[in-house]
Amino acid sequence: MGAKPEGASSAEGRSQNQANRRATSVDVAAESGVSQATVARVFSSPNKVSPATREKVRSAADRLGYVPNAIARSLKSQRTNIVGAVVPAYGEYWQNVLAEFSRQLAQRSYQLLLFSFAKSDDVDGALSSVAQYRLDGVILASATIGQSHLGRMQSSALPTVAFNQPAAEGLVPSVSVDNEEGMAELARHLVDIGVKAAAYIGGVSSVSTDQIRYRGAVQELAEHGIACPYIEAGAYTYDAGYKAAGQLAQRDNLPEAVMVGSDEVAFGVLDGLENAGVLVPGDLLLTGFDGLPQASWAGYDLTTLVQATDVLVAQAMDVLLGPADTSADRPVSIVVPGTIRYGKTTRKGA
């Protein structure tokens, strides 16, 4: 066999070593003929690099399989481009909200990291987990997060925004739908179609969102001489609504209309009533609140207050990721109006 050319073994060794390790910015710089600093700028501040240089560097990175090291970059910049969200581990409403947060954060080159909890007693553990990570901000996305938890976040240095949590007003920056006026609008709709007797099914009576939505309904109806007793479902779930409907159906005198504090509970109420032989809207009218996609399904066609989730999330992102307003006496509190979706559940004679 012929001898290998001089230097062949060392070249093959270097090639093998490169194949067995992750490409670095040094490798990309050598491949593209630019400095390592230029490579770093292409991936951290591309607007500061000419299009031709960007293309050259990215092409070299693709050939080498180079991926920027997010951890190393965050240590240098003191930013991770990761936002945390403390959120219940269940609920259609929150799943829709999180999907919108994830979409809008991705548009801003941020990632979403979830800290979920199954019960309100588990919130402390979720917040303790938040403290263990280097985050650029955190979203408190649950009405069951209490005053003590909000105070804890107020005293931390971590940028925070509370989403759809009226109790957060004055403690941490917050963005919320207009809960009281939204439910008042639904109540006015019932008045306009001639309802004279109503009831309200809430989720958890101790939660501020529930209290404010009920207040909007009961005060508006009271102005027209209509009483609206409160019924607690016990949770913001389909099953809780279904159970509450079964209890309501056993009453001797049904109200003309039932206002429900959330769509997910309303779906359970609707199915529970109809299972008990109470037809909606034939025997009883029904409204929800939130505007979940399922509300427009033919099987539900629910009259509800639709939240502008994309607007709410955009506002929350601006508060969380924008410059802090140090001149304000109180944390910013943004309220966004909703709009009514009119469905067959309040259509008399349907």
Side-chain angles (χ1 to χ4, degrees):
M1 294 179 62
K4 291 183 178 181
E6 185 178 352
S9 59
S10 60
E12 288 174 359
R14 286 195 301 273
S15 177
Q16 186 64 39
N17 288 338
Q18 288 179 347
N20 291 337
R21 68 176 177 82
R22 181 175 176 173
T24 69
S25 59
V26 174
D27 300 323
V28 177
E31 177 77 9
S32 57
V34 301
S35 68
Q36 187 180 4
T38 299
V39 173
R41 280 195 295 274
V42 166
F43 290 99
S44 62
S45 304
N47 58 310
K48 297 180 179 179
V49 183
S50 70
T53 300
R54 285 201 305 267
E55 176 61 27
K56 183 165 58 175
V57 170
R58 291 188 182 277
S59 295
D62 289 342
R63 289 194 298 273
L64 297 173
Y66 170 74
V67 178
N69 189 318
I71 295 176
R73 189 166 57 192
S74 69
L75 290 173
K76 182 177 181 180
S77 67
Q78 295 299 300
R79 296 188 66 83
T80 61
N81 281 41
I82 299 175
V83 169
V86 180
V87 66
Y90 57 86
E92 289 292 333
Y93 171 74
W94 291 115
Q95 297 309 310
N96 279 278
V97 167
L98 286 176
E100 185 62 24
F101 267 116
S102 182
R103 185 185 72 82
Q104 293 199 26
L105 281 166
Q107 291 178 341
R108 301 179 185 226
S109 299
Y110 280 82
Q111 298 295 321
L112 184 65
L113 181 61
L114 299 184
F115 299 86
S116 62
F117 57 91
K119 300 178 296 183
S120 57
D121 294 344
D122 299 333
V123 174
D124 281 326
L127 293 179
S128 295
S129 296
V130 166
Q132 297 174 28
Y133 288 80
R134 184 187 293 273
L135 303 171
D136 290 345
V138 64
I139 304 155
L140 302 181
S142 172
T144 57
I145 296 175
Q147 292 277 343
S148 62
H149 305 122
L150 293 166
R152 177 175 170 181
M153 298 309 298
Q154 181 188 34
S155 61
S156 75
L158 181 63
T160 301
V161 64
F163 188 86
N164 250 349
Q165 195 171 6
E169 187 173 345
L171 293 175
V172 299
S174 64
V175 175
S176 177
V177 69
D178 195 334
N179 290 288
E180 185 169 353
E181 178 56 26
M183 198 60 82
E185 287 182 23
L186 287 167
R188 284 194 288 273
H189 168 56
L190 294 180
V191 171
D192 290 343
I193 60 177
V195 168
K196 301 299 183 184
Y200 185 97
I201 296 179
V204 180
S205 61
S206 60
V207 171
S208 61
T209 303
D210 213 45
Q211 295 167 359
I212 292 173
R213 290 181 183 178
Y214 177 56
R215 185 172 69 206
V218 74
Q219 289 182 349
E220 182 63 33
L221 292 173
E223 290 185 8
H224 301 274
I226 303 171
C228 186
Y230 179 91
I231 301 167
E232 183 174 28
Y236 298 97
T237 64
Y238 174 93
D239 290 342
Y242 193 94
K243 182 178 179 181
Q247 296 170 349
L248 179 66
Q250 294 174 9
R251 297 186 176 186
D252 293 333
N253 297 314
L254 287 174
E256 293 178 56
V258 173
M259 303 186 72
V260 187
S262 79
D263 281 357
E264 192 162 358
V265 177
F267 300 149
V269 170
L270 179 58
D271 288 343
L273 286 172
E274 296 195 345
N275 183 65
V278 179
L279 301 180
V280 179
D283 300 323
L284 181 149
L285 305 180
L286 188 74
T287 66
F289 197 107
D290 287 333
L292 292 180
Q294 297 94 318
S296 62
W297 291 1
Y300 291 125
D301 196 8
L302 181 67
T303 294
T304 185
L305 196 288
V306 179
Q307 299 189 34
T309 304
D310 55 342
V311 176
L312 287 161
V313 170
Q315 294 275 14
M317 292 295 89
D318 288 343
V319 170
L320 188 66
L321 303 177
D325 185 0
T326 56
S327 63
D329 295 332
R330 289 163 56 88
V332 64
S333 177
I334 297 172
V335 177
V336 177
T339 57
I340 295 181
R341 177 196 184 276
Y342 299 97
K344 71 179 181 183
T345 58
T346 58
R347 199 175 301 143
K348 287 187 174 183

